[in-house]
């Protein structure tokens, strides 16, 4: 008996998950790095966990208008749920992972990451989404399931706290 196989091709196939992960993975890790206050290993774990969650729902996610935006939302929710878990035994230290390309001003970068790391996780998420991801208060509110006015007040208080923490250190770094 001779059996031949036929292949079917979908007329419009959504982008493959591996292509999406390769294209967006680095961006997710960078965002997670900021959310974690500079913990590169936790950032990679969070990005991997977010991609794992996306993979389970990829058929539905790939048909969305903005799968990258959805991936960012999943990443932020993964970060916030990780911070709520009591079983987390990892601790952030003052040692940073080596990077392939050094930042233009490493001292400023370290100082800002330390100040960001001292903020509560929700305030950190608000600042990263509002100012690093350049999202509006409404978009940030939708991701974090808060009201836009709460996002604005949290960002205002978080920025004030960062200014207090940085104080003279920031002036010395910016104006040597």
């Amino acid at each position: 008996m001779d059996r031949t196989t036929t292949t079917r091709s979908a007329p419009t196939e959504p982008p493959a998950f591996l292509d999406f992960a390769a294209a967006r993975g680095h961006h997710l890790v960078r965002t997670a790095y900021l959310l974690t206050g500079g913990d590169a290993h936790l950032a990679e774990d969070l990005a991997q966990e977010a991609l794992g969650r996306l993979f389970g729902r990829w058929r539905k996610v790939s048909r969305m208008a903005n799968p990258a935006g959805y991936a960012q939302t999943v990443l932020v929710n993964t970060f916030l749920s990780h911070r709520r878990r009591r079983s987390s035994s990892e601790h952030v230290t003052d040692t940073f992972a080596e990077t392939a390309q050094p930042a233009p001003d490493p001292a400023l970068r370290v100082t800002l990451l330390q100040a960001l790391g001292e903020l509560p996780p929700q305030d950190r998420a608000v600042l990263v989404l509002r100012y690093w991801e350049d999202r509006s208060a409404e978009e940030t509110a939708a991701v974090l399931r808060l009201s836009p006015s709460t996002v604005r007040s949290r960002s205002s208080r978080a920025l004030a706290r960062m200014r207090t923490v940085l104080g003279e250190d920031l002036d010395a770094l910016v104006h040597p």
Side-chain angles (χ1 to χ4, degrees):
M1 225 187 228
D2 184 25
R3 293 185 182 177
T4 58
T5 59
T6 59
T7 58
R8 295 180 188 170
S9 62
T12 57
E13 245 180 41
F17 178 77
L18 292 177
D19 294 337
F20 176 82
R24 298 297 300 170
H26 183 69
H27 183 77
L28 291 173
V29 171
R30 277 191 338 206
T31 301
Y33 183 78
L34 292 170
L35 288 171
T36 61
D39 186 344
H41 299 292
L42 179 57
E44 290 172 356
D45 290 346
L46 291 174
Q48 183 176 4
E49 187 174 338
L51 287 171
R53 291 179 183 183
L54 285 171
F55 181 73
R57 304 190 69 207
W58 183 246
R59 187 170 278 182
K60 183 176 179 181
V61 172
S62 66
R63 292 186 182 104
M64 292 181 170
N66 186 5
Y70 184 76
Q72 289 295 114
T73 301
V74 170
L75 176 67
V76 170
N77 290 337
T78 301
F79 164 72
L80 292 173
S81 67
H82 171 78
R83 299 305 300 171
R84 283 190 292 264
R85 282 188 236 143
R86 298 275 183 204
S87 64
S88 176
S89 61
E90 296 180 22
H91 300 284
V92 177
T93 66
D94 59 349
T95 306
F96 294 97
E98 295 178 350
T99 58
Q101 296 177 351
D105 187 359
L108 177 61
R109 182 181 178 96
V110 169
T111 302
L112 289 173
L113 283 172
Q114 286 174 341
L116 194 61
E118 291 181 21
L119 294 175
Q122 189 113 31
D123 289 349
R124 198 176 322 149
V126 166
L127 288 184
V128 168
L129 290 174
R130 285 281 287 135
Y131 301 106
W132 179 259
E133 294 292 325
D134 198 26
R135 293 187 183 205
S136 68
E138 290 74 20
E139 291 171 328
T140 303
V143 169
L144 298 175
R145 295 184 184 134
L146 300 170
S147 69
S149 61
T150 302
V151 167
R152 286 189 289 274
S153 65
R154 275 189 175 273
S155 64
S156 175
R157 278 184 267 167
L159 287 173
R161 181 161 179 210
M162 282 190 68
R163 285 185 191 105
T164 302
V165 169
L166 294 172
E168 296 174 14
D169 292 341
L170 184 62
D171 288 336
L173 290 170
V174 174
H175 308 291

